[in-house]
Amino acid sequence: MRNLVTGGAGFVGSHLVDRLMQAGEEVICLDNYFTGRKANVSQWLGHPRFELIRHDVTDPIRLEVDRIWHLACPASPVHYQHNPIKTAKTSFLGTLNMLGLSRRVGARLLLASTSEVYGDPEVHPQPESYRGCVNTIGIRSCYDEGKRIAETLCFDYRRMHGLEIRVARIFNTYGPRMLPNDGRVVSNFIVQALRGEPLTLYGDGSQTRSFCYVDDLVEGLIRLMNGSHTGPINLGNPGEFTIRQLAELVKGRINPALELIEKPLPQDDPLQRQPVIELAKSELGWQPTVPLQQGLDPTIAHFRELLAQEASA
Ligand code: NAD
Ligand code: UDP
Protein backbone atom coordinates (compact mmCIF):
# COMPACT_ATOMS: atom_id res chain seq x y z
CA MET A 1 0.00 0.00 0.00
CA ARG A 2 1.14 3.53 -0.80
CA ASN A 3 0.11 5.69 2.15
CA LEU A 4 -0.05 9.44 2.43
CA VAL A 5 -0.02 10.68 6.02
CA THR A 6 -0.85 14.38 6.23
CA GLY A 7 0.36 15.87 9.51
CA GLY A 8 2.75 12.91 9.61
CA ALA A 9 5.50 14.83 11.44
CA GLY A 10 3.12 15.66 14.29
CA PHE A 11 2.44 13.84 17.51
CA VAL A 12 -0.16 11.23 16.41
CA GLY A 13 0.93 11.27 12.76
CA SER A 14 4.52 10.25 13.52
CA HIS A 15 3.38 7.28 15.62
CA LEU A 16 1.14 6.23 12.74
CA VAL A 17 4.06 6.59 10.31
CA ASP A 18 6.11 4.29 12.56
CA ARG A 19 3.40 1.62 12.53
CA LEU A 20 2.96 1.77 8.75
CA MET A 21 6.70 1.64 8.13
CA GLN A 22 7.11 -1.25 10.56
CA ALA A 23 4.36 -3.08 8.63
CA GLY A 24 6.43 -2.82 5.44
CA GLU A 25 4.24 -0.25 3.68
CA GLU A 26 5.21 2.76 1.57
CA VAL A 27 4.71 6.07 3.33
CA ILE A 28 4.68 9.64 2.11
CA CYS A 29 4.71 11.94 5.10
CA LEU A 30 3.40 15.42 4.33
CA ASP A 31 3.64 18.30 6.79
CA ASN A 32 4.07 22.08 6.94
CA TYR A 33 5.88 21.78 10.32
CA PHE A 34 3.53 24.19 12.09
CA THR A 35 3.34 21.92 15.13
CA GLY A 36 5.22 18.94 13.72
CA ARG A 37 8.95 18.31 13.75
CA LYS A 38 11.22 16.57 11.27
CA ALA A 39 12.87 14.90 14.29
CA ASN A 40 9.67 12.89 14.86
CA VAL A 41 10.24 11.00 11.61
CA SER A 42 14.03 11.34 11.27
CA GLN A 43 14.38 7.60 12.00
CA TRP A 44 12.91 6.94 8.53
CA LEU A 45 14.81 9.56 6.49
CA GLY A 46 16.69 7.80 3.71
CA HIS A 47 14.58 4.65 3.94
CA PRO A 48 13.58 3.48 0.42
CA ARG A 49 9.88 3.16 1.40
CA PHE A 50 9.72 6.61 3.03
CA GLU A 51 9.35 10.11 1.61
CA LEU A 52 9.00 13.41 3.43
CA ILE A 53 7.30 16.39 1.76
CA ARG A 54 7.03 19.90 3.15
CA HIS A 55 3.63 21.04 1.95
CA ASP A 56 0.61 22.91 3.24
CA VAL A 57 -2.67 21.04 2.74
CA THR A 58 -4.50 24.29 1.99
CA ASP A 59 -2.77 24.03 -1.42
CA PRO A 60 -3.71 21.13 -3.71
CA ILE A 61 -1.12 18.45 -4.45
CA ARG A 62 -0.94 15.56 -6.93
CA LEU A 63 0.44 12.25 -5.67
CA GLU A 64 -0.12 8.60 -6.54
CA VAL A 65 -1.35 6.90 -3.37
CA ASP A 66 -3.81 4.20 -2.28
CA ARG A 67 -4.62 5.51 1.18
CA ILE A 68 -4.80 8.97 2.68
CA TRP A 69 -4.58 9.38 6.43
CA HIS A 70 -5.66 12.99 6.82
CA LEU A 71 -4.37 14.27 10.14
CA ALA A 72 -2.97 17.68 9.20
CA CYS A 73 -4.40 20.24 11.61
CA PRO A 74 -3.10 21.74 14.85
CA ALA A 75 -4.85 19.99 17.76
CA SER A 76 -3.90 21.98 20.85
CA PRO A 77 -6.15 24.96 21.68
CA VAL A 78 -3.05 27.15 22.10
CA HIS A 79 -1.89 26.33 18.59
CA TYR A 80 -5.21 26.24 16.77
CA GLN A 81 -6.18 29.59 18.33
CA HIS A 82 -2.85 31.17 17.32
CA ASN A 83 -4.23 31.85 13.83
CA PRO A 84 -7.86 30.73 13.89
CA ILE A 85 -8.55 31.70 10.28
CA LYS A 86 -5.67 29.51 9.15
CA THR A 87 -7.03 26.67 11.32
CA ALA A 88 -10.44 26.91 9.64
CA LYS A 89 -8.74 27.00 6.22
CA THR A 90 -6.65 23.95 7.13
CA SER A 91 -9.72 21.98 8.09
CA PHE A 92 -11.93 23.11 5.23
CA LEU A 93 -9.57 23.64 2.29
CA GLY A 94 -7.16 20.97 3.53
CA THR A 95 -9.89 18.33 3.68
CA LEU A 96 -11.35 19.51 0.36
CA ASN A 97 -7.95 19.17 -1.29
CA MET A 98 -7.35 15.72 0.18
CA LEU A 99 -10.81 14.54 -0.88
CA GLY A 100 -10.09 15.92 -4.37
CA LEU A 101 -6.87 13.92 -4.45
CA SER A 102 -8.69 10.87 -3.13
CA ARG A 103 -11.25 11.11 -5.89
CA ARG A 104 -8.63 11.61 -8.60
CA VAL A 105 -6.58 8.55 -7.66
CA GLY A 106 -9.30 6.38 -6.10
CA ALA A 107 -7.68 6.36 -2.66
CA ARG A 108 -9.50 5.59 0.59
CA LEU A 109 -9.39 8.58 2.96
CA LEU A 110 -9.45 8.53 6.75
CA LEU A 111 -10.26 11.84 8.45
CA ALA A 112 -8.91 12.50 11.94
CA SER A 113 -11.98 14.21 13.34
CA THR A 114 -12.46 14.96 17.00
CA SER A 115 -14.63 14.73 20.08
CA GLU A 116 -14.76 18.54 19.77
CA VAL A 117 -17.57 18.07 17.25
CA TYR A 118 -19.66 17.39 20.39
CA GLY A 119 -18.65 20.83 21.77
CA ASP A 120 -19.61 21.35 25.42
CA PRO A 121 -21.85 18.27 25.49
CA GLU A 122 -25.28 18.13 27.15
CA VAL A 123 -25.24 14.35 26.72
CA HIS A 124 -22.79 12.37 28.81
CA PRO A 125 -20.99 10.14 27.88
CA GLN A 126 -21.03 10.95 24.16
CA PRO A 127 -22.20 8.39 21.58
CA GLU A 128 -21.68 9.00 17.85
CA SER A 129 -25.41 9.72 17.47
CA TYR A 130 -25.12 12.86 19.65
CA ARG A 131 -25.10 15.91 17.38
CA GLY A 132 -23.19 18.21 19.66
CA CYS A 133 -23.40 21.61 21.26
CA VAL A 134 -20.88 23.86 19.56
CA ASN A 135 -20.67 27.64 19.83
CA THR A 136 -20.33 28.78 16.21
CA ILE A 137 -18.69 32.10 17.14
CA GLY A 138 -16.41 31.26 20.07
CA ILE A 139 -12.65 30.90 20.29
CA ARG A 140 -12.81 27.10 19.83
CA SER A 141 -15.11 27.32 16.78
CA CYS A 142 -12.31 27.51 14.20
CA TYR A 143 -11.33 23.99 15.25
CA ASP A 144 -14.72 22.53 16.20
CA GLU A 145 -16.61 23.87 13.21
CA GLY A 146 -13.60 23.19 11.00
CA LYS A 147 -13.77 19.51 11.87
CA ARG A 148 -17.56 19.48 11.51
CA ILE A 149 -17.38 20.83 7.94
CA ALA A 150 -14.54 18.39 7.26
CA GLU A 151 -16.84 15.52 8.27
CA THR A 152 -19.61 16.99 6.11
CA LEU A 153 -17.30 17.18 3.09
CA CYS A 154 -16.28 13.54 3.56
CA PHE A 155 -19.87 12.36 3.57
CA ASP A 156 -20.84 14.55 0.60
CA TYR A 157 -17.91 13.19 -1.41
CA ARG A 158 -19.08 9.72 -0.48
CA ARG A 159 -22.68 10.45 -1.53
CA MET A 160 -21.76 12.32 -4.72
CA HIS A 161 -18.70 10.43 -5.91
CA GLY A 162 -18.81 7.10 -4.06
CA LEU A 163 -15.54 7.84 -2.30
CA GLU A 164 -14.34 5.40 0.35
CA ILE A 165 -14.10 7.43 3.53
CA ARG A 166 -13.43 6.65 7.18
CA VAL A 167 -14.14 9.16 9.95
CA ALA A 168 -12.56 8.79 13.40
CA ARG A 169 -13.73 11.02 16.26
CA ILE A 170 -10.62 11.11 18.39
CA PHE A 171 -10.82 11.91 22.10
CA ASN A 172 -7.95 13.46 24.11
CA THR A 173 -4.81 11.51 23.27
CA TYR A 174 -1.40 11.80 24.92
CA GLY A 175 1.99 10.16 24.84
CA PRO A 176 5.65 10.59 23.87
CA ARG A 177 6.46 13.18 21.15
CA MET A 178 4.02 15.78 22.40
CA LEU A 179 5.89 19.09 22.36
CA PRO A 180 6.87 20.76 25.65
CA ASN A 181 5.11 23.93 24.46
CA ASP A 182 2.11 22.00 23.11
CA GLY A 183 -0.20 23.67 25.62
CA ARG A 184 -2.44 20.65 26.17
CA VAL A 185 -3.03 19.57 29.71
CA VAL A 186 -0.98 16.36 29.92
CA SER A 187 2.15 17.95 28.47
CA ASN A 188 1.68 21.17 30.47
CA PHE A 189 1.38 19.33 33.79
CA ILE A 190 4.32 17.02 33.13
CA VAL A 191 6.61 19.83 31.95
CA GLN A 192 5.59 22.05 34.88
CA ALA A 193 6.20 19.26 37.37
CA LEU A 194 9.59 18.37 35.88
CA ARG A 195 10.62 22.03 36.07
CA GLY A 196 9.46 22.20 39.69
CA GLU A 197 6.77 24.74 38.84
CA PRO A 198 3.18 24.80 40.17
CA LEU A 199 0.64 22.91 38.03
CA THR A 200 -1.87 25.26 36.40
CA LEU A 201 -5.49 24.20 36.83
CA TYR A 202 -7.78 26.17 34.55
CA GLY A 203 -10.89 26.87 36.62
CA ASP A 204 -11.22 24.69 39.71
CA GLY A 205 -10.09 21.56 37.86
CA SER A 206 -13.47 19.84 38.19
CA GLN A 207 -13.94 19.59 34.41
CA THR A 208 -13.31 16.10 33.06
CA ARG A 209 -11.50 14.53 30.12
CA SER A 210 -10.87 10.91 29.13
CA PHE A 211 -7.28 10.27 28.12
CA CYS A 212 -6.21 7.74 25.50
CA TYR A 213 -2.62 6.55 25.11
CA VAL A 214 -1.28 7.18 21.61
CA ASP A 215 -0.46 3.52 20.81
CA ASP A 216 -4.08 2.55 21.50
CA LEU A 217 -5.34 5.34 19.27
CA VAL A 218 -3.06 4.38 16.38
CA GLU A 219 -4.26 0.76 16.62
CA GLY A 220 -7.85 2.06 16.38
CA LEU A 221 -7.04 4.24 13.35
CA ILE A 222 -5.43 1.29 11.55
CA ARG A 223 -8.40 -0.99 12.25
CA LEU A 224 -10.79 1.71 11.05
CA MET A 225 -8.87 2.28 7.82
CA ASN A 226 -8.60 -1.47 7.11
CA GLY A 227 -12.18 -2.29 8.06
CA SER A 228 -15.46 -1.68 6.25
CA HIS A 229 -17.16 0.69 8.71
CA THR A 230 -17.31 4.27 7.43
CA GLY A 231 -17.91 5.93 10.81
CA PRO A 232 -18.05 8.40 12.35
CA ILE A 233 -16.65 6.28 15.12
CA ASN A 234 -15.40 7.35 18.56
CA LEU A 235 -11.82 6.41 19.39
CA GLY A 236 -10.90 7.19 22.96
CA ASN A 237 -10.38 5.76 26.40
CA PRO A 238 -13.57 5.80 28.50
CA GLY A 239 -11.54 6.24 31.71
CA GLU A 240 -12.76 9.68 32.82
CA PHE A 241 -10.73 11.93 35.15
CA THR A 242 -11.16 15.42 36.52
CA ILE A 243 -8.31 17.72 35.58
CA ARG A 244 -7.49 17.99 39.30
CA GLN A 245 -7.19 14.18 39.48
CA LEU A 246 -4.82 14.27 36.51
CA ALA A 247 -2.73 16.94 38.25
CA GLU A 248 -2.55 14.77 41.39
CA LEU A 249 -1.47 11.74 39.33
CA VAL A 250 1.30 13.68 37.59
CA LYS A 251 2.44 15.36 40.80
CA GLY A 252 2.46 12.03 42.64
CA ARG A 253 4.83 10.57 40.04
CA ILE A 254 7.21 13.50 39.80
CA ASN A 255 7.13 15.60 42.97
CA PRO A 256 4.27 15.32 45.50
CA ALA A 257 5.31 18.60 47.12
CA LEU A 258 4.32 20.72 44.13
CA GLU A 259 1.52 23.27 44.36
CA LEU A 260 -1.63 23.38 42.23
CA ILE A 261 -2.67 26.91 41.25
CA GLU A 262 -5.93 27.99 39.64
CA LYS A 263 -6.02 30.09 36.47
CA PRO A 264 -9.08 31.42 34.63
CA LEU A 265 -11.09 28.81 32.73
CA PRO A 266 -10.89 29.55 28.97
CA GLN A 267 -14.11 30.45 27.14
CA ASP A 268 -16.26 27.48 26.01
CA ASP A 269 -14.00 24.95 27.76
CA PRO A 270 -16.10 21.74 27.76
CA LEU A 271 -17.16 20.71 31.28
CA GLN A 272 -17.07 16.99 30.71
CA ARG A 273 -16.07 14.52 28.04
CA GLN A 274 -16.13 10.74 27.85
CA PRO A 275 -16.50 8.52 24.78
CA VAL A 276 -19.03 5.76 24.32
CA ILE A 277 -16.93 3.19 22.44
CA GLU A 278 -19.48 0.42 21.85
CA LEU A 279 -19.32 1.00 18.09
CA ALA A 280 -15.53 0.72 18.00
CA LYS A 281 -15.77 -2.45 20.07
CA SER A 282 -18.34 -4.11 17.85
CA GLU A 283 -17.20 -2.81 14.43
CA LEU A 284 -13.43 -2.79 14.91
CA GLY A 285 -12.95 -5.21 17.80
CA TRP A 286 -11.04 -2.32 19.38
CA GLN A 287 -10.74 -1.00 22.88
CA PRO A 288 -7.93 0.79 24.69
CA THR A 289 -5.48 -1.34 26.65
CA VAL A 290 -3.36 1.30 28.41
CA PRO A 291 -4.88 3.00 31.46
CA LEU A 292 -3.82 6.59 32.24
CA GLN A 293 -1.81 5.49 35.28
CA GLN A 294 0.31 3.32 32.97
CA GLY A 295 0.56 5.61 29.92
CA LEU A 296 1.83 8.53 32.01
CA ASP A 297 5.14 6.78 32.71
CA PRO A 298 6.53 6.62 29.14
CA THR A 299 5.14 10.11 28.55
CA ILE A 300 6.98 11.47 31.58
CA ALA A 301 10.15 9.64 30.47
CA HIS A 302 9.88 11.35 27.06
CA PHE A 303 9.68 14.82 28.61
CA ARG A 304 12.44 14.06 31.11
CA GLU A 305 14.75 13.22 28.21
CA LEU A 306 13.68 16.25 26.20
CA LEU A 307 14.25 18.66 29.08
CA ALA A 308 17.63 17.05 29.86
CA GLN A 309 18.64 17.55 26.20
CA GLU A 310 17.53 21.20 26.38
CA ALA A 311 19.50 21.73 29.59
CA SER A 312 22.69 20.27 28.10
CA ALA A 313 22.36 22.18 24.78
P1 NAD B 1 -0.21 17.88 16.17
O1 NAD B 1 -0.39 19.35 16.23
O2 NAD B 1 0.95 17.28 16.89
O3 NAD B 1 -0.10 17.39 14.67
C1 NAD B 1 -0.69 18.04 13.59
C2 NAD B 1 0.29 18.00 12.44
O4 NAD B 1 -0.33 18.62 11.30
C3 NAD B 1 1.58 18.75 12.73
O5 NAD B 1 2.68 17.99 12.30
C4 NAD B 1 1.44 20.03 11.92
O6 NAD B 1 2.66 20.61 11.56
C5 NAD B 1 0.61 19.54 10.74
N1 NAD B 1 -0.15 20.60 10.08
C6 NAD B 1 -0.93 21.55 10.67
N2 NAD B 1 -1.48 22.34 9.73
C7 NAD B 1 -1.04 21.89 8.53
C8 NAD B 1 -1.23 22.31 7.20
N3 NAD B 1 -2.02 23.36 6.90
N4 NAD B 1 -0.62 21.62 6.21
C9 NAD B 1 0.18 20.56 6.49
N5 NAD B 1 0.41 20.13 7.75
C10 NAD B 1 -0.19 20.79 8.75
O7 NAD B 1 -1.57 17.25 16.65
P2 NAD B 1 -1.96 15.72 16.93
O8 NAD B 1 -2.35 15.62 18.35
O9 NAD B 1 -0.93 14.82 16.37
O10 NAD B 1 -3.29 15.60 16.09
C11 NAD B 1 -3.32 14.96 14.81
C12 NAD B 1 -4.73 14.98 14.26
O11 NAD B 1 -5.60 14.28 15.17
C13 NAD B 1 -5.32 16.37 14.09
O12 NAD B 1 -6.09 16.40 12.92
C14 NAD B 1 -6.20 16.54 15.29
O13 NAD B 1 -7.27 17.42 15.04
C15 NAD B 1 -6.68 15.13 15.52
N6 NAD B 1 -7.05 14.93 16.94
C16 NAD B 1 -6.09 14.80 17.89
C17 NAD B 1 -6.46 14.65 19.21
C18 NAD B 1 -5.44 14.50 20.30
O14 NAD B 1 -5.83 14.48 21.48
N7 NAD B 1 -4.18 14.35 20.02
C19 NAD B 1 -7.81 14.64 19.57
C20 NAD B 1 -8.76 14.81 18.56
C21 NAD B 1 -8.37 14.92 17.25
N1 UDP C 1 -6.12 22.62 31.26
C1 UDP C 1 -5.66 22.97 32.54
N2 UDP C 1 -4.36 23.38 32.67
C2 UDP C 1 -3.51 23.46 31.62
C3 UDP C 1 -3.98 23.09 30.32
C4 UDP C 1 -5.30 22.69 30.18
O1 UDP C 1 -6.40 22.90 33.52
O2 UDP C 1 -2.34 23.83 31.82
C5 UDP C 1 -7.51 22.14 31.13
C6 UDP C 1 -8.30 22.80 30.02
O3 UDP C 1 -8.91 23.98 30.49
C7 UDP C 1 -9.31 21.72 29.70
C8 UDP C 1 -8.55 20.41 29.95
O4 UDP C 1 -7.44 20.77 30.79
O5 UDP C 1 -10.39 21.77 30.59
C9 UDP C 1 -8.03 19.76 28.70
O6 UDP C 1 -7.34 20.73 27.96
P1 UDP C 1 -6.56 20.42 26.62
O7 UDP C 1 -6.10 21.71 26.06
O8 UDP C 1 -5.55 19.37 26.88
O9 UDP C 1 -7.64 19.72 25.66
P2 UDP C 1 -9.15 20.08 25.24
O10 UDP C 1 -9.67 21.20 26.08
O11 UDP C 1 -9.06 20.45 23.81
O12 UDP C 1 -9.88 18.83 25.52
Side-chain angles (χ1 to χ4, degrees):
M1 282 287 173
R2 293 164 304 174
N3 296 273
L4 169 64
V5 182
T6 76
F11 160 52
V12 174
S14 63
H15 286 276
L16 174 63
V17 166
D18 285 352
R19 279 288 302 271
L20 295 172
M21 288 298 295
Q22 284 153 5
E25 303 206 10
E26 281 183 35
V27 176
I28 301 176
C29 172
L30 180 157
D31 210 293
N32 71 350
Y33 304 124
F34 175 46
T35 51
R37 297 188 315 157
K38 228 184 239 183
N40 285 340
V41 289
S42 57
Q43 61 278 27
W44 302 116
L45 291 176
H47 193 290
R49 284 187 281 104
F50 182 77
E51 268 181 79
L52 182 58
I53 301 179
R54 177 193 283 264
H55 180 80
D56 194 305
V57 289
T58 57
D59 291 323
I61 189 165
R62 281 177 187 251
L63 296 164
E64 293 302 320
V65 290
D66 306 300
R67 289 188 166 180
I68 301 175
W69 308 76
H70 181 38
L71 277 69
C73 183
S76 159
V78 173
H79 291 133
Y80 71 64
Q81 287 163 19
H82 171 72
N83 182 344
I85 297 171
K86 174 71 195 218
T87 300
K89 277 176 77 177
T90 293
S91 264
F92 178 57
L93 289 180
T95 305
L96 190 73
N97 286 331
M98 289 307 123
L99 286 163
L101 174 63
S102 225
R103 184 177 173 214
R104 203 171 305 123
V105 299
R108 182 180 292 184
L109 178 142
L110 181 148
L111 170 71
S113 184
T114 170
S115 54
E116 290 287 328
V117 299
Y118 302 126
D120 190 4
E122 308 120 312
V123 169
H124 190 74
Q126 295 82 50
E128 291 83 355
S129 55
Y130 176 51
R131 291 187 182 177
C133 174
V134 174
N135 177 1
T136 58
I137 57 169
I139 56 171
R140 296 175 81 97
S141 316
C142 59
Y143 183 74
D144 302 6
E145 296 291 4
K147 290 289 185 177
R148 287 168 69 100
I149 189 68
E151 286 197 9
T152 307
L153 283 169
C154 285
F155 279 82
D156 282 334
Y157 264 79
R158 178 174 188 251
R159 281 185 285 262
M160 284 187 70
H161 304 300
L163 226 68
E164 282 194 64
I165 54 145
R166 303 285 182 268
V167 175
R169 288 189 180 152
I170 302 170
F171 284 64
N172 298 64
T173 300
Y174 70 97
R177 297 198 190 142
M178 293 184 94
L179 295 174
N181 68 348
D182 179 276
R184 282 177 278 187
V185 68
V186 174
S187 44
N188 269 11
F189 284 176
I190 294 177
V191 170
Q192 288 163 347
L194 290 172
R195 289 185 173 146
E197 296 166 2
L199 276 57
T200 51
L201 294 178
Y202 298 165
D204 63 4
S206 62
Q207 70 273 34
T208 70
R209 294 293 186 274
S210 304
F211 299 99
C212 185
Y213 189 63
V214 65
D215 290 355
D216 279 335
L217 172 70
V218 168
E219 177 63 31
L221 292 175
I222 289 172
R223 286 185 191 217
L224 176 61
M225 179 64 111
N226 290 341
S228 57
H229 191 84
T230 296
I233 198 157
N234 288 342
L235 293 178
N237 189 323
E240 186 185 10
F241 294 81
T242 66
I243 296 305
R244 187 177 286 277
Q245 283 174 323
L246 173 70
E248 293 292 347
L249 278 174
V250 170
K251 209 174 93 152
R253 276 168 170 68
I254 299 176
N255 179 355
L258 289 172
E259 243 189 295
L260 305 184
I261 53 167
E262 293 188 13
K263 296 248 177 161
L265 188 67
Q267 187 199 339
D268 292 336
D269 200 284
L271 272 183
Q272 49 183 5
R273 186 181 293 152
Q274 183 188 31
V276 173
I277 59 161
E278 297 318 306
L279 201 56
K281 279 186 188 166
S282 63
E283 293 294 331
L284 311 179
W286 176 88
Q287 62 180 333
T289 58
V290 183
L292 180 59
Q293 290 84 345
Q294 191 182 322
L296 280 178
D297 294 332
T299 313
I300 291 171
H302 153 78
F303 282 110
R304 227 185 255 287
E305 199 179 315
L306 218 62
L307 296 188
Q309 277 168 14
E310 272 178 20
S312 66

